[in-house]
Amino acid sequence: MSRSRSTLGSVPALAKDALRVVALGGLGEIGRNMTVFEHAGKLLVVDCGVLFPEEHQPGIDVILPDFTSIRDRLDDIVAIVLTHGHEDHIGGVPYLLRERADIPVVGSRLTLALITAKLTEHRIRPVTVEVGEGDHKSFGPFDCEFVAVNHSIPDGLAVAIRTAAGLVLHTGDFKMDQFPLDGRITDLRGFARLGEEGVDLFLTDSTNAEVPGFTASEGELIPAIETVFRTSPRRVIVSSFASHVHRIQQVLDAAAAHGRKVAFVGRSMVRNMGIAAELGYLKVPDGLVVDLKVLEKMPPSKVALVCTGSQGEPLAALSRMASGDHVIRVRDGDTVLLASSLIPGNENAVYRVINGLTALGANVVHKGNAKVHVSGHASAGELVYCYNIVRPSNVMPVHGEARHLRANADLAVKTGVDRRNVVIAEDGDVVDLVDGRVSVVGKVAAGNVYVDASTVGGATEASLKDRRTLAEEGVLTVVAIIDADTGQLTDPPDFLARGFVHDERTFDAVVPLIEKALARAASDAHPDAHQLEDVIARTVASWARRVHRRAPLIIPVVIDA
C-alpha cells in the first residue's frame, strides 16, 4: 500500500501518455475537496470546495485550497467539473474564478444554479456547461462521462474521465439509498459497465468507510420528523444545511400534514430553497411557505421555521437564537429539531447551542436522542459492493480524515485490489498513473488559505496563534520611556492589560527585572528601539510564565526620552 511522505522532493516531469492526480484538499479532512488532473499539458479540476473553521481558528470565515501549484497554469485549465452543490465542493469556485473568470464550470442543473447564485454575489458571470447522467463531454484531452449518484442533495454526479493513460472513475460524494425521496438512485449499472471497460483508477468517497453495513434511507426519518410536528405544543424550529433539499422536503411535507405554515430564515436558506423550488427539486404546496412577518401573527402551534446553524456556526440563525441575539426569540415549549449530523470538530459548538436552547425552555431534538438524520455517504458495505462491481486496478481513497482514508483502503484490499496499487495520499501529494500503475512521485504546496472577511490569504498560522493567545491569555502592553544615551528607564513603565487578571500592584515586581535586563543590554552594545522592545518583551513574558503561569501577548512600546 503506497503511503505519502512529507519529505518527497521536487516533482518530475509528467511522462508522455501518463495521467497526474493532485488533491489540493479533501484528504485528511472533511471538506475543501479539490482534485486536479493533468494530461497532455492540460488540467481538469474536479470540485473546488471550502473547509469550515474549527474553534482553534478564530475569526476565519472559510478555508480554501491552495492554488499556488496551478496559479502559473491557469490558462491550461480546461474546465471545473462539480460533482454536486454542497459548499465543501463548490464554495471555493468564486476564488478560483477571480484568478481566471472564463474557466468553464461544468455541473448538473441544480449544481449550476447554486454556484451561479453564489458567483452573482461575487460579481462573477461564469461560463457554464450543464450536464446530466449519461452525458459525454470532452474538455481538452479529457473525455468525461457523467453517472448519476444519490447523495443528500439532488442531482449528484460521479464522473468517469477517459484519457490515453486510462479510465478514472471519481465517485464524488455518494451513497446507495434504494428508496430515495426523489426516486433517483446511484447508477450501479453504470458503475458495472465502466468496470467491464476497465477502471484504471478509482477515487472513492471515504467519509463513512469506518461505518459497517449500509447507510439508512432518507425515508426512515419520516416517522421521527412527523412525531415532532404532531406532538410539539408550540413552534417547531428546524435547523439544517442550507443545501439539504431532501431534508427540507420532509419538513415541508410534515408541516403541511399538521397544518403549520413555514418560513425560511437565513440568507443562504432562503436563496437555496428558492432555487430548488423554482427548478422543481423542492415541491412546495401552495400557500405553505409564507413571510416571517406573517408567522409572527399566527398561533405558535401553527408555526414552523426552517433555518441554518446546525453546526453551531456563531453567526448562523440558530446560534444567535440560542444566545438571544436574533429577532426570533426561543420560548418555553418551542421544539428545535437539528436535522443534520455533526461535522468532526464542531461538536463543542453544537452542544453549546443545544444547551443554550434548552436553557431557554426549548425541547431540542437531535441525532443523539431521535432518528432525525441519516448520512449522505456510503458505509463500508456499499463501498465493498462498489469495489466488487467496478474491480478497479488502482484505488485512491478521497474525501475523509486519515482514519477514513485508511479504512477505505483496507476495504479495497479485502475485495482483491493489490495492496501495492492502493494509494493513501495527503493533500498535495502528486500521484501519477503510468502504464496502469499508480505511485506517489512528489509533493506540491497544499496548505490552508484562510478567508478573513474580505481578506484572502492574509491570515497565517502565526496570526491565528496570536488570536488564540489573545483569547486564552490576554494582552499586556508595556510602555517604557528610555533615555537614548544610557538605555535606562526614565520613569517606571506603564502597563496596560486586557484579559490578564491583575490589580494595581501586580506589575511592581517586574519593574526591577526590566531595569536589570535593560542595563545588561546597554552594557553589551548600543541597542536600538527595536532591540530594547525585544528585551522588554522577553523579560515580561518570562516573568508572567514563572509567576502567573500565563503567556499573554506582550506588546512593548519604547519611547525615546
mmCIF file of all heavy atoms in Angstrom, residues 180-195:
data_model
loop_
_atom_site.group_PDB
_atom_site.id
_atom_site.type_symbol
_atom_site.label_atom_id
_atom_site.label_comp_id
_atom_site.label_asym_id
_atom_site.label_seq_id
_atom_site.Cartn_x
_atom_site.Cartn_y
_atom_site.Cartn_z
ATOM 1 N N PRO A 180 -34.773 6.418 -2.418
ATOM 2 C CA PRO A 180 -34.553 7.872 -2.302
ATOM 3 C C PRO A 180 -35.855 8.648 -2.467
ATOM 4 O O PRO A 180 -36.774 8.205 -3.171
ATOM 5 C CB PRO A 180 -33.578 8.170 -3.442
ATOM 6 C CG PRO A 180 -33.824 7.089 -4.442
ATOM 7 C CD PRO A 180 -34.174 5.866 -3.648
ATOM 8 N N LEU A 181 -35.917 9.790 -1.813
ATOM 9 C CA LEU A 181 -37.129 10.595 -1.859
ATOM 10 C C LEU A 181 -37.456 11.057 -3.269
ATOM 11 O O LEU A 181 -38.632 11.201 -3.628
ATOM 12 C CB LEU A 181 -36.986 11.808 -0.933
ATOM 13 C CG LEU A 181 -36.806 11.502 0.563
ATOM 14 C CD1 LEU A 181 -36.708 12.792 1.348
ATOM 15 C CD2 LEU A 181 -37.951 10.642 1.078
ATOM 16 N N ASP A 182 -36.428 11.305 -4.081
ATOM 17 C CA ASP A 182 -36.663 11.794 -5.444
ATOM 18 C C ASP A 182 -36.649 10.675 -6.481
ATOM 19 O O ASP A 182 -36.758 10.932 -7.685
ATOM 20 C CB ASP A 182 -35.639 12.870 -5.818
ATOM 21 C CG ASP A 182 -34.195 12.368 -5.764
ATOM 22 O OD1 ASP A 182 -33.991 11.166 -5.461
ATOM 23 O OD2 ASP A 182 -33.282 13.169 -6.023
ATOM 24 N N GLY A 183 -36.503 9.407 -6.027
ATOM 25 C CA GLY A 183 -36.518 8.281 -6.949
ATOM 26 C C GLY A 183 -35.266 8.113 -7.779
ATOM 27 O O GLY A 183 -35.209 7.250 -8.658
ATOM 28 N N ARG A 184 -34.237 8.907 -7.500
ATOM 29 C CA ARG A 184 -33.007 8.887 -8.313
ATOM 30 C C ARG A 184 -31.932 8.112 -7.553
ATOM 31 O O ARG A 184 -31.329 8.611 -6.619
ATOM 32 C CB ARG A 184 -32.558 10.320 -8.583
ATOM 33 C CG ARG A 184 -31.379 10.469 -9.531
ATOM 34 C CD ARG A 184 -31.154 11.963 -9.781
ATOM 35 N NE ARG A 184 -30.037 12.215 -10.678
ATOM 36 C CZ ARG A 184 -28.770 12.369 -10.271
ATOM 37 N NH1 ARG A 184 -28.476 12.267 -8.983
ATOM 38 N NH2 ARG A 184 -27.814 12.630 -11.145
ATOM 39 N N ILE A 185 -31.671 6.874 -7.989
ATOM 40 C CA ILE A 185 -30.717 6.017 -7.296
ATOM 41 C C ILE A 185 -29.341 6.140 -7.935
ATOM 42 O O ILE A 185 -29.185 6.618 -9.065
ATOM 43 C CB ILE A 185 -31.175 4.545 -7.312
ATOM 44 C CG1 ILE A 185 -31.216 4.006 -8.743
ATOM 45 C CG2 ILE A 185 -32.517 4.385 -6.617
ATOM 46 C CD1 ILE A 185 -31.495 2.512 -8.811
ATOM 47 N N THR A 186 -28.329 5.696 -7.186
ATOM 48 C CA THR A 186 -26.983 5.602 -7.750
ATOM 49 C C THR A 186 -26.982 4.582 -8.877
ATOM 50 O O THR A 186 -27.481 3.463 -8.723
ATOM 51 C CB THR A 186 -25.977 5.204 -6.654
ATOM 52 O OG1 THR A 186 -25.897 6.273 -5.697
ATOM 53 C CG2 THR A 186 -24.597 4.939 -7.233
ATOM 54 N N ASP A 187 -26.413 4.970 -10.009
ATOM 55 C CA ASP A 187 -26.445 4.137 -11.214
ATOM 56 C C ASP A 187 -25.389 3.035 -11.124
ATOM 57 O O ASP A 187 -24.294 3.145 -11.684
ATOM 58 C CB ASP A 187 -26.222 5.012 -12.449
ATOM 59 C CG ASP A 187 -26.361 4.240 -13.749
ATOM 60 O OD1 ASP A 187 -26.697 3.036 -13.702
ATOM 61 O OD2 ASP A 187 -26.121 4.839 -14.819
ATOM 62 N N LEU A 188 -25.733 1.973 -10.413
ATOM 63 C CA LEU A 188 -24.787 0.873 -10.249
ATOM 64 C C LEU A 188 -24.560 0.124 -11.554
ATOM 65 O O LEU A 188 -23.484 -0.455 -11.768
ATOM 66 C CB LEU A 188 -25.289 -0.073 -9.161
ATOM 67 C CG LEU A 188 -25.394 0.552 -7.764
ATOM 68 C CD1 LEU A 188 -25.958 -0.453 -6.769
ATOM 69 C CD2 LEU A 188 -24.037 1.059 -7.294
ATOM 70 N N ARG A 189 -25.556 0.119 -12.431
ATOM 71 C CA ARG A 189 -25.337 -0.488 -13.752
ATOM 72 C C ARG A 189 -24.268 0.280 -14.510
ATOM 73 O O ARG A 189 -23.437 -0.312 -15.215
ATOM 74 C CB ARG A 189 -26.636 -0.512 -14.544
ATOM 75 C CG ARG A 189 -27.660 -1.502 -14.007
ATOM 76 C CD ARG A 189 -28.842 -1.658 -14.938
ATOM 77 N NE ARG A 189 -29.573 -0.399 -15.119
ATOM 78 C CZ ARG A 189 -30.606 -0.235 -15.925
ATOM 79 N NH1 ARG A 189 -31.036 -1.253 -16.654
ATOM 80 N NH2 ARG A 189 -31.219 0.921 -16.008
ATOM 81 N N GLY A 190 -24.285 1.622 -14.361
ATOM 82 C CA GLY A 190 -23.239 2.430 -14.989
ATOM 83 C C GLY A 190 -21.877 2.121 -14.405
ATOM 84 O O GLY A 190 -20.881 2.009 -15.133
ATOM 85 N N PHE A 191 -21.810 1.973 -13.073
ATOM 86 C CA PHE A 191 -20.546 1.609 -12.434
ATOM 87 C C PHE A 191 -20.050 0.263 -12.957
ATOM 88 O O PHE A 191 -18.864 0.091 -13.270
ATOM 89 C CB PHE A 191 -20.729 1.535 -10.913
ATOM 90 C CG PHE A 191 -20.653 2.852 -10.197
ATOM 91 C CD1 PHE A 191 -20.947 4.043 -10.841
ATOM 92 C CD2 PHE A 191 -20.295 2.912 -8.863
ATOM 93 C CE1 PHE A 191 -20.892 5.267 -10.170
ATOM 94 C CE2 PHE A 191 -20.238 4.118 -8.176
ATOM 95 C CZ PHE A 191 -20.539 5.291 -8.838
ATOM 96 N N ALA A 192 -20.982 -0.709 -13.052
ATOM 97 C CA ALA A 192 -20.597 -2.043 -13.516
ATOM 98 C C ALA A 192 -20.117 -2.003 -14.969
ATOM 99 O O ALA A 192 -19.140 -2.681 -15.330
ATOM 100 C CB ALA A 192 -21.776 -3.004 -13.372
ATOM 101 N N ARG A 193 -20.811 -1.219 -15.794
ATOM 102 C CA ARG A 193 -20.402 -1.091 -17.203
ATOM 103 C C ARG A 193 -19.000 -0.510 -17.313
ATOM 104 O O ARG A 193 -18.174 -0.999 -18.105
ATOM 105 C CB ARG A 193 -21.409 -0.213 -17.945
ATOM 106 C CG ARG A 193 -21.024 0.087 -19.392
ATOM 107 C CD ARG A 193 -22.089 0.901 -20.108
ATOM 108 N NE ARG A 193 -22.533 2.042 -19.331
ATOM 109 C CZ ARG A 193 -21.841 3.191 -19.231
ATOM 110 N NH1 ARG A 193 -20.664 3.313 -19.844
ATOM 111 N NH2 ARG A 193 -22.313 4.193 -18.526
ATOM 112 N N LEU A 194 -18.710 0.496 -16.512
ATOM 113 C CA LEU A 194 -17.360 1.069 -16.519
ATOM 114 C C LEU A 194 -16.353 0.047 -16.012
ATOM 115 O O LEU A 194 -15.218 -0.026 -16.509
ATOM 116 C CB LEU A 194 -17.330 2.333 -15.655
ATOM 117 C CG LEU A 194 -18.132 3.524 -16.204
ATOM 118 C CD1 LEU A 194 -18.306 4.596 -15.146
ATOM 119 C CD2 LEU A 194 -17.441 4.103 -17.442
ATOM 120 N N GLY A 195 -16.767 -0.757 -15.022
ATOM 121 C CA GLY A 195 -15.887 -1.807 -14.531
ATOM 122 C C GLY A 195 -15.558 -2.830 -15.612
ATOM 123 O O GLY A 195 -14.420 -3.311 -15.702
#
